[in-house]
Amino acid sequence: MSNQSKSYLIYCIVENEGFIPYLANDLSEIIYKDIVAVVRKVDAKSIEELSLDKELLKNCIAAYQQTNIDIFNHYTILPIRFGTMVDSEEEIEDFLASNYIHIKWAFDRLKGKAEITVHLSWDLKAVLQEINQDKQWLDNAKQSINLTNTAEIGRLLFVTADTKKKEIVDSVHCKLIAVSLDSSDGRCSNEQIIMNRSYLIERTAERLFDEAMTELAEENKSYLSLKYIGPLPPYSFAPVEFNWRNFELINEVRRRLLLPEQASFREIKASYRRLSLKFHPDKNSGDQQSSERFREINEAYKILETYCHSCEGSLASKENNEYSFTKDDVESVFVANRKMVAV
């Protein structure tokens, strides 16, 4: 088959730490600076036809996930959504270059972290039966509705069940978020599933998460089923579809730090320190807006620090160097040094 019918299926992005010896023979590394896209050359037409064969599609997704897990066991990775394909190595290099700062920021955020997905389901019929047998609930119901009105009783039962569901989900989440860094909601595919939520954890905190899950399982009633999967690559927390290219991101964070379009690293640090002191949680206790502003300021500083490193290679003894944040100058930083290494 000719090369014209081939495309590149992207699995994930990793930081370039040298040769990846455990990659399968049909996987390749496409490198830009210090980041690497792990790809496989595939028949584009066969990928498109997967939608017609559900079993084959399921197997391909499982293989994709297993490949990412194998790499994840050795590296911090940014998994790319299954089915993401491009036609050439140059397109991947352009993608890495155009989103370099965003990718580096994501690695900084996700290094040493993993995702655990928690599914909580219940037997709704058993829940309704338990509510209906609750004497306190019946006494309260007598005061608010006519118990001979079947439709009204049913409505009140489901309203009570919805309240109970929220209390259960909130209780589970409260215990799990205490040992996690962040959470992300997934879709609940039917009424039996009342919680489908992913948690971002430090990999060193896996034992604490396991213990929290064990405690929850012991506390929960028989009509509840609590399961979790992980540790996994951070699918729910990696920016797998980058919405901002380098300039858009740099321009946004520059504005957060109230900087002009040209500034020295010394000026960047001074603005960061001034704003972080102003919005520090210790000085604004209980102020949610200040807390969010403080987080945004710290994030902005880390991103600009990465950008300045990309311009100079090292910031040592270069604090007085001027850095430009105009579109042309930002984009010019990332157009060179592209290469591809095949495994």
Side-chain angles (χ1 to χ4, degrees):
M1 188 173 291
S2 67
N3 287 335
Q4 272 68 31
S5 63
K6 295 290 185 179
S7 293
Y8 290 88
L9 179 64
I10 309 176
Y11 283 75
C12 63
I13 301 171
V14 301
E15 289 187 293
N16 184 16
E17 299 175 358
F19 179 63
I20 306 178
Y22 51 87
L23 284 185
N25 290 334
D26 57 347
L27 291 176
S28 297
E29 299 175 79
I30 296 180
I31 301 174
Y32 172 76
K33 290 183 178 288
D34 56 349
I35 55 178
V36 180
V38 177
V39 304
R40 172 178 280 126
K41 191 176 287 189
V42 296
D43 184 340
K45 185 176 180 181
S46 67
I47 290 291
E48 292 173 1
E49 292 173 348
L50 281 178
S51 59
L52 304 176
D53 189 331
K54 292 184 177 180
E55 188 61 30
L56 182 58
L57 176 62
K58 181 180 177 181
N59 292 337
C60 287
I61 292 174
Y64 153 84
Q65 291 174 333
Q66 188 58 55
T67 295
N68 276 346
I69 288 173
D70 290 343
I71 301 172
F72 173 66
N73 288 334
H74 300 268
Y75 291 87
T76 297
I77 77 168
L78 303 184
I80 301 299
R81 186 183 60 172
F82 174 77
T84 300
M85 291 192 302
V86 297
D87 294 328
S88 68
E89 298 166 9
E90 289 74 20
E91 281 189 64
I92 300 175
E93 292 169 351
D94 286 342
F95 170 76
L96 296 177
S98 298
N99 295 281
Y100 180 80
I101 293 296
H102 205 163
I103 293 169
K104 291 294 290 183
W105 165 74
F107 276 124
D108 183 63
R109 179 172 179 260
L110 298 175
K111 191 178 292 293
K113 299 175 179 65
E115 175 175 329
I116 294 181
T117 300
V118 177
H119 292 167
L120 178 62
S121 58
W122 70 358
D123 183 339
L124 180 57
K125 183 178 179 180
V127 173
L128 295 173
Q129 185 175 7
E130 181 183 85
I131 295 171
N132 198 34
Q133 293 174 348
D134 185 331
K135 186 178 183 302
Q136 182 66 48
W137 183 84
L138 287 172
D139 289 342
N140 293 337
K142 287 178 183 179
Q143 299 175 17
S144 61
I145 64 172
N146 179 359
L147 290 181
T148 62
N149 187 331
T150 305
E152 186 64 16
I153 293 172
R155 185 195 68 78
L156 188 58
L157 276 170
F158 277 96
V159 168
T160 306
D162 279 342
T163 301
K164 192 178 190 71
K165 176 171 69 174
K166 184 178 186 308
E167 291 173 351
I168 292 170
V169 170
D170 287 349
S171 176
V172 169
H173 176 71
C174 186
K175 186 174 285 288
L176 296 181
I177 199 64
V179 292
S180 305
L181 303 168
D182 199 358
S183 66
S184 175
D185 279 331
R187 185 174 65 89
C188 295
S189 56
N190 58 62
E191 66 178 12
Q192 303 300 320
I193 300 174
I194 61 175
M195 175 179 167
N196 176 19
R197 190 167 293 172
S198 294
Y199 290 87
L200 183 68
I201 67 166
E202 295 281 2
R203 300 211 66 171
T204 54
E206 288 177 25
R207 182 180 60 81
L208 292 176
F209 198 92
D210 288 341
E211 291 174 354
M213 289 295 298
T214 299
E215 291 176 10
L216 285 169
E218 293 172 350
E219 295 170 3
N220 285 330
K221 296 194 174 184
S222 59
Y223 56 71
L224 291 172
S225 175
L226 186 64
K227 300 178 181 178
Y228 66 111
I229 307 168
L232 298 169
Y235 290 101
S236 302
F237 304 94
V240 292
E241 295 182 63
F242 299 93
N243 297 317
W244 284 350
R245 296 167 75 87
N246 288 319
F247 170 70
E248 285 78 6
L249 182 60
I250 292 297
N251 195 46
E252 168 65 21
V253 298
R254 172 188 70 81
R255 290 176 175 176
R256 287 186 200 173
L257 292 183
L258 307 180
L259 292 166
E261 288 193 332
Q262 189 165 323
S264 70
F265 193 69
R266 186 183 299 277
E267 290 169 332
I268 294 170
K269 285 204 299 186
S271 183
Y272 160 68
R273 288 169 178 167
R274 182 177 66 257
L275 291 170
S276 61
L277 182 62
K278 178 180 178 180
F279 292 101
H280 198 284
D282 290 348
K283 296 186 66 175
N284 301 274
S285 180
D287 187 338
Q288 188 61 39
Q289 285 188 334
S290 292
S291 178
E292 178 64 17
R293 187 81 171 91
F294 180 76
R295 183 193 65 78
E296 291 177 348
I297 289 165
N298 277 274
E299 179 182 277
Y301 176 72
K302 289 181 180 179
I303 291 171
L304 286 188
E305 185 179 39
T306 299
Y307 170 65
C308 294
H309 270 294
S310 300
C311 294
E312 299 290 347
S314 172
L315 292 177
S317 302
K318 297 179 180 178
E319 292 203 350
N320 291 320
N321 282 9
E322 292 285 327
Y323 297 94
S324 173
F325 305 120
T326 65
K327 184 172 183 179
D328 288 345
D329 288 337
V330 169
E331 291 182 349
S332 70
V333 172
F334 303 99
V335 297
N337 301 322
R338 300 181 185 182
K339 60 181 179 177
M340 188 272 186
V341 177
V343 177

